[in-house]
Short mmCIF file of all heavy atoms in Angstrom, two decimals:
data_model
loop_
_atom_site.label_atom_id
_atom_site.label_comp_id
_atom_site.label_asym_id
_atom_site.label_seq_id
_atom_site.Cartn_x
_atom_site.Cartn_y
_atom_site.Cartn_z
N ALA A 1202 -6.20 -8.52 31.10
CA ALA A 1202 -7.23 -9.63 31.13
C ALA A 1202 -6.62 -10.90 31.54
O ALA A 1202 -7.25 -11.64 32.25
CB ALA A 1202 -7.70 -9.65 29.59
N LEU A 1203 -5.31 -11.14 31.25
CA LEU A 1203 -4.70 -12.45 31.58
C LEU A 1203 -4.04 -12.44 32.95
O LEU A 1203 -3.51 -13.30 33.56
CB LEU A 1203 -3.56 -12.71 30.54
CG LEU A 1203 -4.15 -13.09 29.21
CD1 LEU A 1203 -2.99 -13.38 28.17
CD2 LEU A 1203 -4.92 -14.32 29.21
N ASP A 1204 -4.07 -11.14 33.56
CA ASP A 1204 -3.39 -10.98 34.93
C ASP A 1204 -1.97 -11.29 34.88
O ASP A 1204 -1.54 -12.14 35.78
CB ASP A 1204 -4.24 -11.57 35.99
CG ASP A 1204 -3.80 -11.07 37.31
OD1 ASP A 1204 -3.31 -9.99 37.46
OD2 ASP A 1204 -4.09 -11.88 38.36
N ILE A 1205 -1.26 -10.92 33.89
CA ILE A 1205 0.23 -11.25 33.89
C ILE A 1205 1.08 -9.94 33.50
O ILE A 1205 0.41 -8.95 33.33
CB ILE A 1205 0.51 -12.14 32.68
CG1 ILE A 1205 -0.12 -11.74 31.37
CG2 ILE A 1205 0.10 -13.61 33.02
CD1 ILE A 1205 0.20 -12.68 30.19
N PRO A 1206 2.32 -9.80 33.93
CA PRO A 1206 3.06 -8.64 33.91
C PRO A 1206 3.15 -8.16 32.30
O PRO A 1206 3.06 -8.79 31.40
CB PRO A 1206 4.52 -9.05 34.34
CG PRO A 1206 4.40 -10.42 34.97
CD PRO A 1206 3.23 -11.13 34.42
N LEU A 1207 3.39 -6.73 32.48
CA LEU A 1207 3.51 -6.06 31.17
C LEU A 1207 4.92 -5.53 31.01
O LEU A 1207 5.53 -5.02 31.97
CB LEU A 1207 2.56 -4.78 31.18
CG LEU A 1207 2.28 -3.95 30.03
CD1 LEU A 1207 1.83 -4.62 28.83
CD2 LEU A 1207 1.33 -2.86 30.39
N ILE A 1208 5.53 -5.67 29.77
CA ILE A 1208 7.03 -5.30 29.69
C ILE A 1208 7.05 -4.26 28.42
O ILE A 1208 6.66 -4.60 27.29
CB ILE A 1208 7.84 -6.55 29.25
CG1 ILE A 1208 7.78 -7.50 30.45
CG2 ILE A 1208 9.39 -6.14 29.08
CD1 ILE A 1208 8.45 -8.82 30.23
N GLU A 1209 7.70 -3.17 28.63
CA GLU A 1209 7.92 -2.17 27.56
C GLU A 1209 9.13 -2.48 26.91
O GLU A 1209 10.19 -2.69 27.62
CB GLU A 1209 7.83 -0.68 28.08
CG GLU A 1209 8.86 -0.39 29.09
CD GLU A 1209 9.11 1.12 29.39
OE1 GLU A 1209 8.05 1.72 29.59
OE2 GLU A 1209 10.19 1.67 29.40
N VAL A 1210 9.28 -2.29 25.68
CA VAL A 1210 10.50 -2.45 24.90
C VAL A 1210 10.88 -1.28 24.09
O VAL A 1210 10.00 -0.81 23.39
CB VAL A 1210 10.42 -3.76 24.03
CG1 VAL A 1210 11.58 -3.92 23.11
CG2 VAL A 1210 10.33 -5.09 24.95
N ASN A 1211 12.14 -0.98 24.08
CA ASN A 1211 12.63 0.08 23.12
C ASN A 1211 12.98 -0.57 21.82
O ASN A 1211 13.82 -1.53 21.74
CB ASN A 1211 13.88 0.76 23.77
CG ASN A 1211 14.47 1.86 22.95
OD1 ASN A 1211 14.86 1.56 21.83
ND2 ASN A 1211 14.62 3.11 23.49
N HIS A 1212 12.47 -0.11 20.84
CA HIS A 1212 12.60 -0.68 19.50
C HIS A 1212 14.06 -0.79 19.10
O HIS A 1212 14.50 -1.83 18.45
CB HIS A 1212 11.80 0.24 18.37
CG HIS A 1212 11.92 -0.36 17.14
ND1 HIS A 1212 11.14 -1.20 16.51
CD2 HIS A 1212 12.66 0.00 15.92
CE1 HIS A 1212 11.32 -1.54 15.24
NE2 HIS A 1212 12.34 -0.81 14.84
N MET A 1213 14.77 0.28 19.32
CA MET A 1213 16.28 0.21 18.83
C MET A 1213 17.06 -0.73 19.70
O MET A 1213 18.00 -1.40 19.21
CB MET A 1213 16.81 1.67 18.90
CG MET A 1213 16.19 2.65 17.97
SD MET A 1213 15.77 2.04 16.41
CE MET A 1213 17.57 1.80 15.71
N GLN A 1214 16.79 -0.71 21.01
CA GLN A 1214 17.49 -1.77 21.91
C GLN A 1214 17.16 -3.16 21.45
O GLN A 1214 18.07 -4.01 21.44
CB GLN A 1214 16.94 -1.51 23.28
CG GLN A 1214 17.92 -1.71 24.38
CD GLN A 1214 17.52 -1.26 25.81
OE1 GLN A 1214 16.35 -1.31 26.11
NE2 GLN A 1214 18.34 -0.66 26.48
N ALA A 1215 15.89 -3.30 21.03
CA ALA A 1215 15.42 -4.73 20.62
C ALA A 1215 16.27 -5.13 19.31
O ALA A 1215 16.73 -6.27 19.10
CB ALA A 1215 13.95 -4.74 20.23
N HIS A 1216 16.51 -4.07 18.41
CA HIS A 1216 17.29 -4.44 17.11
C HIS A 1216 18.68 -4.97 17.57
O HIS A 1216 19.17 -5.95 17.00
CB HIS A 1216 17.48 -3.19 16.28
CG HIS A 1216 16.43 -2.99 15.22
ND1 HIS A 1216 16.24 -3.90 14.24
CD2 HIS A 1216 15.64 -2.01 14.93
CE1 HIS A 1216 15.32 -3.49 13.40
NE2 HIS A 1216 14.89 -2.28 13.83
N ILE A 1217 19.21 -4.40 18.54
CA ILE A 1217 20.58 -4.97 19.08
C ILE A 1217 20.51 -6.16 19.74
O ILE A 1217 21.35 -7.08 19.51
CB ILE A 1217 21.22 -3.76 20.01
CG1 ILE A 1217 21.32 -2.47 19.34
CG2 ILE A 1217 22.44 -4.27 20.74
CD1 ILE A 1217 21.79 -1.33 20.23
N LEU A 1218 19.39 -6.44 20.63
CA LEU A 1218 19.31 -7.63 21.31
C LEU A 1218 18.92 -8.83 20.39
O LEU A 1218 18.96 -10.02 20.88
CB LEU A 1218 18.30 -7.51 22.53
CG LEU A 1218 18.83 -6.50 23.54
CD1 LEU A 1218 17.85 -6.08 24.56
CD2 LEU A 1218 20.18 -7.09 24.26
N ALA A 1219 18.58 -8.48 19.10
CA ALA A 1219 18.27 -9.63 18.16
C ALA A 1219 19.51 -10.55 18.05
O ALA A 1219 19.48 -11.71 17.60
CB ALA A 1219 17.96 -9.06 16.83
N HIS A 1220 20.68 -9.99 18.50
CA HIS A 1220 21.91 -10.80 18.31
C HIS A 1220 22.10 -11.96 19.30
O HIS A 1220 22.80 -12.77 19.23
CB HIS A 1220 23.17 -9.94 18.62
CG HIS A 1220 23.54 -9.03 17.46
ND1 HIS A 1220 24.19 -9.67 16.33
CD2 HIS A 1220 23.41 -7.80 17.01
CE1 HIS A 1220 24.30 -8.66 15.33
NE2 HIS A 1220 23.71 -7.62 15.83
N PHE A 1221 21.05 -11.87 20.26
CA PHE A 1221 21.06 -13.06 21.30
C PHE A 1221 20.13 -13.96 20.95
O PHE A 1221 19.76 -15.02 21.76
CB PHE A 1221 20.80 -12.37 22.59
CG PHE A 1221 22.06 -11.44 22.99
CD1 PHE A 1221 22.02 -10.20 22.81
CD2 PHE A 1221 23.20 -12.05 23.54
CE1 PHE A 1221 23.12 -9.40 23.05
CE2 PHE A 1221 24.34 -11.34 23.84
CZ PHE A 1221 24.30 -9.90 23.56
N ILE A 1222 19.40 -13.88 19.74
CA ILE A 1222 18.46 -15.05 19.45
C ILE A 1222 19.29 -16.32 18.95
O ILE A 1222 18.90 -17.36 19.34
CB ILE A 1222 17.44 -14.47 18.26
CG1 ILE A 1222 16.68 -13.27 18.74
CG2 ILE A 1222 16.62 -15.67 17.77
CD1 ILE A 1222 15.82 -12.63 17.74
N ASP A 1223 20.25 -16.09 18.10
CA ASP A 1223 21.01 -17.25 17.53
C ASP A 1223 22.47 -17.09 17.93
O ASP A 1223 22.94 -16.08 18.45
CB ASP A 1223 21.03 -17.07 15.97
CG ASP A 1223 19.67 -17.61 15.43
OD1 ASP A 1223 19.02 -18.38 15.96
OD2 ASP A 1223 19.42 -17.16 14.20
N ASP A 1224 23.22 -18.18 17.72
CA ASP A 1224 24.56 -18.15 18.01
C ASP A 1224 25.36 -17.72 16.66
O ASP A 1224 24.72 -17.93 15.62
CB ASP A 1224 25.18 -19.58 18.35
CG ASP A 1224 24.81 -19.85 19.89
OD1 ASP A 1224 24.78 -18.94 20.65
OD2 ASP A 1224 24.46 -20.92 20.12
N PRO A 1225 26.55 -17.14 16.66
CA PRO A 1225 27.26 -16.79 17.91
C PRO A 1225 26.86 -15.44 18.40
O PRO A 1225 26.33 -14.64 17.69
CB PRO A 1225 28.79 -16.77 17.26
CG PRO A 1225 28.48 -16.19 15.88
CD PRO A 1225 27.26 -16.83 15.42
N LYS A 1226 26.94 -15.40 19.78
CA LYS A 1226 26.50 -14.13 20.38
C LYS A 1226 27.74 -13.25 20.74
O LYS A 1226 28.73 -13.78 21.15
CB LYS A 1226 25.75 -14.56 21.61
CG LYS A 1226 24.46 -15.43 21.40
CD LYS A 1226 23.84 -15.84 22.78
CE LYS A 1226 22.63 -16.58 22.53
NZ LYS A 1226 22.65 -17.86 21.68
#
Side-chain angles (χ1 to χ4, degrees):
L1203 296 172
D1204 194 22
I1205 52 179
L1207 185 61
I1208 301 174
E1209 65 168 42
V1210 170
N1211 177 304
H1212 181 83
M1213 298 315 292
Q1214 213 167 35
H1216 267 302
I1217 296 172
L1218 293 172
H1220 280 286
F1221 295 93
I1222 298 176
D1223 282 336
D1224 284 325
K1226 300 175 172 62

